[in-house]
Amino acid sequence: PCQGAAGRPAILYALLSPSVRAV
Amino acid sequence: AEPFSGGPGVPELILQLLQLEPDEDQVRARIVGCLQDPAKGRPDQPAPFGLLCRMADQTFISIVDWARRCMVFKELEVADQMTLLQNCWSELLVFDHIYRQIQHGKEGSILLVTGQEVELTTVAAQAGSLLHGLVLRAQELVLQLHALQLDRQEFVCLKFLILFSLDVKFLNNHSLVKDAQEKANAALLDYTLCHYPHCGDKFQQLLLCLVEVRALSMQAKEYLYHKHLGNEMPRNNLLIEMLQAKQT
């Protein structure tokens, strides 16, 4: 699966990160 | 939806959580919209299992949206937010399903987040034994919580407890999370004692139900992994990503 920073799930990171959500 | 009125004996934390509850009609409309094929402008018709996977993904996205609006959770850094959700995502999904069935109130069928009603005989005939077994086990918990007279106030508080159910040693902000856990436990205890004085152990009974939610969620994750190994899961599935993410 896609992994974000530090092996974290990228989709969840995108859902939580304000900077990503703002895009 | 069950109307809510404040009043004596409802702790402030529960009042706040009730205000944060998403509107079920809006959630349903959003998810139904997501499951439609935008190119053709009509409902998409993948295999039922694929549709269920997308439905579960979208339900989890709604849960993440709820968590992001929750007090305490919204104060945490993203790393802690991810750690908490990675710990409890499957339990929140199971509990969401359970509470929908309690509201649905029919033993012979289940209600999906999209508003569709599925007869248990259909589940038995089409879902396969593993999923059928999961659905039946969930229905037992529905009956148990129905008998306990789980209400909306207790539901929102239990959901909050599930969100914060991780040992604080895995988090950066120990004090904020520990404080949230203690306040939610105290609020649930106060509420049950005040509103169900004839049922002195309701608080303990509700917490025991969370143990079953956890067990059900473990079984559901095993089922998902089984489907994943059989290459039966859709690509870019959020739940599979959650399943495979590094756990704390």
Side-chain angles (χ1 to χ4, degrees), chain B residues 5-228:
Chain B
S5 60
V10 181
E12 181 62 30
L13 181 132
I14 293 180
L15 291 174
Q16 289 176 13
L17 288 173
L18 286 166
Q19 288 175 352
L20 289 170
E21 269 303 282
D23 181 277
E24 185 80 6
D25 290 339
Q26 285 182 9
V27 171
R28 183 184 306 119
R30 186 190 69 75
I31 293 179
V32 168
C34 285
L35 297 179
Q36 286 179 340
D37 182 348
K40 296 176 182 174
R42 61 173 175 77
D44 201 358
Q45 296 180 326
F49 181 72
L51 187 62
L52 283 176
C53 291
R54 291 171 59 201
M55 206 181 287
D57 268 7
Q58 291 300 325
T59 306
F60 182 59
I61 288 171
S62 290
I63 288 172
V64 174
D65 273 339
W66 160 79
R68 288 180 68 245
R69 289 183 286 110
C70 264
M71 58 278 203
V72 183
F73 188 90
K74 66 182 179 187
E75 309 299 330
L76 296 171
E77 57 190 80
V78 172
D80 275 353
Q81 292 179 341
M82 291 187 71
T83 304
L84 285 173
L85 282 170
Q86 283 179 259
N87 171 61
C88 70
W89 63 273
S90 55
E91 288 163 79
L92 288 172
L93 276 169
V94 165
F95 199 49
D96 179 80
H97 169 81
I98 296 285
Y99 191 63
R100 185 168 303 106
Q101 307 322 309
I102 293 173
Q103 291 178 303
H104 180 48
K106 295 184 186 175
E107 284 188 44
S109 65
I110 57 172
L111 183 66
L112 304 181
V113 68
T114 50
Q116 295 161 288
E117 189 176 347
V118 182
E119 298 295 325
L120 285 180
T121 51
T122 307
V123 177
Q126 297 183 13
S129 61
L130 289 177
L131 184 55
H132 182 222
L134 261 173
V135 169
L136 291 184
R137 186 173 176 181
Q139 287 300 96
E140 287 176 22
L141 183 55
V142 170
L143 288 178
Q144 202 177 332
L145 284 165
H146 181 73
L148 266 177
Q149 296 180 287
L150 174 77
D151 65 28
R152 192 168 181 80
Q153 287 79 355
E154 292 158 343
F155 165 70
V156 296
C157 201
L158 286 169
K159 199 163 64 152
F160 189 75
L161 276 171
I162 292 173
L163 180 62
F164 286 95
S165 62
L166 187 65
D167 189 317
V168 294
K169 72 183 178 189
F170 296 111
L171 300 159
N172 296 324
N173 198 330
H174 293 192
S175 57
L176 203 56
V177 173
K178 192 168 174 49
D179 189 51
Q181 291 170 345
E182 289 173 354
K183 281 185 175 156
N185 270 300
L188 186 61
L189 178 60
D190 287 350
Y191 178 82
T192 52
L193 288 177
C194 181
H195 290 264
Y196 299 90
H198 55 284
C199 182
D201 66 342
K202 188 172 189 186
F203 173 72
Q204 288 83 0
Q205 294 288 329
L206 290 175
L207 292 189
L208 277 177
C209 286
L210 289 192
V211 176
E212 177 61 8
V213 170
R214 180 112 197 160
L216 256 171
S217 76
M218 296 295 286
Q219 193 178 331
K221 285 194 284 190
E222 285 170 15
Y223 171 73
L224 276 179
Y225 193 62
H226 167 79
K227 300 297 272 188
H228 174 61

Side-chain angles (χ1 to χ4, degrees), chain A residues 1 8-11 15-16 21, chain B residues 65 68 82-83 86 241 244:
Chain A
R8 303 293 178 126
I11 304 175
L15 290 170
L16 288 171
R21 288 180 75 95
Chain B
D65 273 339
R68 288 180 68 245
M82 291 187 71
T83 304
Q86 283 179 259
E241 188 183 283
Q244 294 197 317

